[in-house]
Amino acid sequence: MHIVCQFNVGKSLAMKVALSMGNKRKFMILAGIMLASTIAFGGWKFWHSHHETVITRLALDDDNNHKIISEVMARAYGAKNYDETEECWNINRNDQVYCMKPMALDLVQANGEETFYLFASGFLTESSHADSEGLAGAFVFHKKNLELIASDKALSYDSIGGAMPETVKLLPISRTGLMGWLIQVGGELNGGYAFRQPYLFMPKQNKILDTAKDVIGAQGASQYTLDFIYQTDTKNTSSEFYPLQLTVQDHNKQKIASYHFQFDSKQWKYVCADKTCGEEGHLPSEDDPEITENNEENSAETEAAPPPPNNANAALFDDSTELSTADLREVLKALNATYVIKDQDNWGFVTPECTAPFKLSASIPKGSENDHNNLWVEGGNSCTSGNTEHSIWLFIRGEDGHLRANLGLPAKKATVADTGNQGYNDIRLSGNGFCEAIWRWNGERYEHQKNIATQPGGCDSK
């Protein structure tokens, strides 16, 4: 008589043993061996689960996750500061209001513990002509009771127009389960220059600090089009803190260069592994032959450029149109701008906050050619208009005879709509992402009425 017994150890280990009634003793010995193997395997699984780090990016719109985020951010920024329309929390910073929204929620499982890492960032609720500071919130807290481990509700970083980060990535930093947020911020400046700067925010005790001391990012238009990929090496090191690696690729995913950074626990910063940051390959720069040749061509074009306009009227209008002295004074006062000529190639308008000359142009709408009762003005740069690098103003003469500015915010294009109020057409502003704004006359001035998304979710951060 034969008996077939099957032992399943975990999901992958299985053994069939064929017995006769005369082999019971052998069976009992084998069963003991298999039982010991089961205990040993289970013990290994327990040890492995307590030493493996697992990072899971969670959906922000999940009901349970949304509840967790709301509780933590309400404690940080105050429940009364929640804006139901924008679905964000307001915080005042240097007399400006940022509306903070969650950007990433990660669940980290390490050393038998489960921890949430929440990263938020804000956008300015009102336009500014000299915004260069971005604002972020970073929170590390226990999953079981949402008790904070480390946090900072107002982390500052350099940003064109105070824009939110382009990307947020959570990286494993140490064998003990420490994590860090790698964000990239930047954009294109007026004149063709572009950059993308990395920041690496990490907990230290109950605080959050930027640790990206020597970590480099894209500098210049030739590097801005490349992919800068940051990741930590969790395998090939025996140190407590993982090295940070940067790999730069072109649009074909071909490796251009790579760099290595090591963590200095005394400085609590990532620094170059050696004098060259372990550079392999070569990043394009403004000194490369192709770029130098382009610059020489640009210089030749500049030499042939016409002389700068003699005055503000000539700088605003490309025809013979001229504003009266009183009207020109009121327009420049509203813009807080002054026309300057620094040299042959460097001229335009400046403000107290934006001292690099920028161009402005003006036009008279049809029907106002003689009285100049309406006037469009547009132009600017990254200092005046943030990422859009262009703002639009509409001047309308009031009953008292003075020109007053309307709109005056970043936009690429203004379209006069068919709809309107009290004899004034609505104005549709576009070119600031995938969200267009409708402005309507209220009897005294134009005010914002609503936003229209040109793509799904285009106005979610507005």
Side-chain angles (χ1 to χ4, degrees):
M1 181 179 179
H2 290 79
I3 300 175
V4 178
C5 301
Q6 182 168 318
F7 295 85
N8 292 311
V9 182
K11 295 182 179 179
S12 61
L13 181 60
M15 179 177 289
K16 295 182 179 179
V17 182
L19 302 173
S20 67
M21 292 300 292
N23 290 330
K24 288 184 179 180
R25 185 170 181 273
K26 293 181 180 179
F27 169 72
M28 295 301 293
I29 294 173
L30 181 58
I33 294 173
M34 294 304 299
L35 179 61
S37 299
T38 302
I39 296 172
F41 182 80
W44 179 85
K45 284 186 66 178
F46 176 82
W47 180 89
H48 183 70
S49 66
H50 278 61
H51 285 75
E52 184 182 37
T53 298
V54 179
I55 305 173
T56 305
R57 176 62 55 93
L58 303 177
L60 298 178
D61 56 359
D62 176 82
D63 290 341
N64 186 55
N65 297 339
H66 180 73
K67 183 179 179 181
I68 292 170
I69 293 169
S70 298
E71 181 174 339
V72 173
M73 294 191 68
R75 287 198 318 232
Y77 300 105
K80 66 179 181 180
N81 293 320
Y82 182 69
D83 186 326
E84 293 185 0
T85 302
E86 301 291 351
E87 297 182 341
C88 57
W89 285 261
N90 290 328
I91 178 175
N92 190 288
R93 172 85 170 187
N94 297 330
D95 296 326
Q96 292 181 302
V97 178
Y98 289 82
C99 210
M100 308 297 290
K101 296 177 74 78
M103 292 193 68
L105 177 65
D106 295 277
L107 175 62
V108 176
Q109 298 166 294
N111 298 320
E113 297 286 339
E114 291 185 309
T115 308
F116 283 121
Y117 279 70
L118 171 63
F119 191 88
S121 185
F123 63 91
L124 288 167
T125 59
E126 295 184 3
S127 302
S128 171
H129 293 284
D131 299 321
S132 60
E133 181 186 32
L135 207 63
F139 309 90
V140 184
F141 51 98
H142 295 290
K143 179 186 177 183
K144 58 184 178 182
N145 56 12
L146 305 188
E147 180 182 351
L148 284 175
I149 300 171
S151 68
D152 193 322
K153 67 179 183 180
L155 289 165
S156 176
Y157 57 88
D158 294 333
S159 174
I160 300 174
M164 299 169 74
E166 297 177 5
T167 60
V168 178
K169 183 179 181 181
L170 193 66
L171 297 176
I173 300 299
S174 76
R175 297 184 180 279
T176 58
L178 183 66
M179 300 284 146
W181 292 277
L182 193 291
I183 71 170
Q184 296 188 65
V185 297
E188 298 182 55
L189 300 174
N190 195 35
Y193 185 79
F195 75 98
R196 187 178 293 109
Q197 181 67 28
Y199 290 81
L200 182 52
F201 293 115
M202 283 171 43
K204 184 181 184 183
Q205 298 176 350
N206 64 342
K207 298 179 180 180
I208 307 292
L209 304 175
D210 176 29
T211 63
K213 180 180 180 180
D214 291 343
V215 184
I216 63 174
Q219 299 294 329
S222 58
Q223 297 181 15
Y224 187 71
T225 58
L226 303 176
D227 289 331
F228 281 61
I229 304 169
Y230 304 86
Q231 58 188 14
T232 48
D233 185 356
T234 61
K235 297 179 179 179
N236 301 319
T237 181
S238 58
S239 60
E240 178 184 352
F241 295 92
Y242 300 132
L244 179 65
Q245 297 180 336
L246 165 60
T247 303
V248 183
Q249 298 179 346
D250 62 17
H251 65 280
N252 293 320
K253 304 302 180 183
Q254 296 296 314
K255 180 179 174 181
I256 301 296
S258 64
Y259 301 85
H260 300 273
F261 309 91
Q262 62 189 17
F263 191 75
D264 186 327
S265 57
K266 293 183 179 179
Q267 298 185 58
W268 207 254
K269 302 281 186 182
Y270 269 98
V271 298
C272 288
D274 55 34
K275 291 183 178 180
T276 64
C277 295
E279 181 180 27
E280 297 179 4
H282 172 66
L283 279 178
S285 68
E286 302 301 325
D287 295 328
D288 287 344
E290 182 178 352
I291 298 174
T292 302
E293 183 178 341
N294 291 336
N295 287 341
E296 290 176 352
E297 292 177 0
N298 292 336
S299 297
E301 293 177 1
T302 302
E303 292 176 1
N310 292 325
N311 54 56
N313 256 322
L316 286 172
F317 297 95
D318 57 6
D319 53 23
S320 58
T321 301
E322 285 191 4
L323 295 177
S324 67
T325 302
D327 283 350
L328 181 61
R329 184 186 302 113
E330 287 182 344
V331 168
L332 295 180
K333 182 179 179 180
L335 299 175
N336 198 22
T338 303
Y339 178 64
V340 298
I341 302 175
K342 293 191 174 182
D343 55 47
Q344 171 76 18
D345 305 316
N346 194 12
W347 56 270
F349 294 86
V350 297
T351 69
E353 299 86 4
C354 303
T355 56
F358 55 89
K359 302 298 188 293
L360 291 174
S361 63
S363 60
I364 305 294
K366 185 177 181 180
S368 296
E369 295 91 340
N370 296 324
D371 54 28
H372 296 173
N373 285 340
N374 297 283
L375 171 72
W376 288 103
V377 177
E378 59 182 295
N381 58 14
S382 61
C383 180
T384 66
S385 314
N387 286 344
T388 310
E389 299 182 355
H390 190 273
S391 292
I392 296 177
W393 295 262
L394 172 59
F395 286 86
I396 299 176
R397 195 180 305 279
E399 294 182 356
D400 58 1
H402 295 287
L403 286 173
R404 289 184 174 83
N406 287 263
L407 307 178
L409 69 162
K412 288 287 189 182
K413 181 181 179 182
T415 304
V416 178
D418 294 333
T419 57
N421 185 45
Q422 300 181 27
Y424 287 80
N425 294 77
D426 292 341
I427 297 174
R428 185 166 182 155
L429 297 180
S430 59
N432 195 1
F434 299 108
C435 185
E436 298 187 352
I438 301 296
W439 287 71
R440 173 164 290 183
W441 184 258
N442 68 0
E444 296 181 354
R445 64 182 182 278
Y446 275 94
E447 64 179 4
H448 180 254
Q449 184 194 31
K450 62 180 179 180
N451 291 329
I452 299 176
T454 57
Q455 287 191 10
C459 295
D460 287 353
S461 63
K462 302 298 182 181

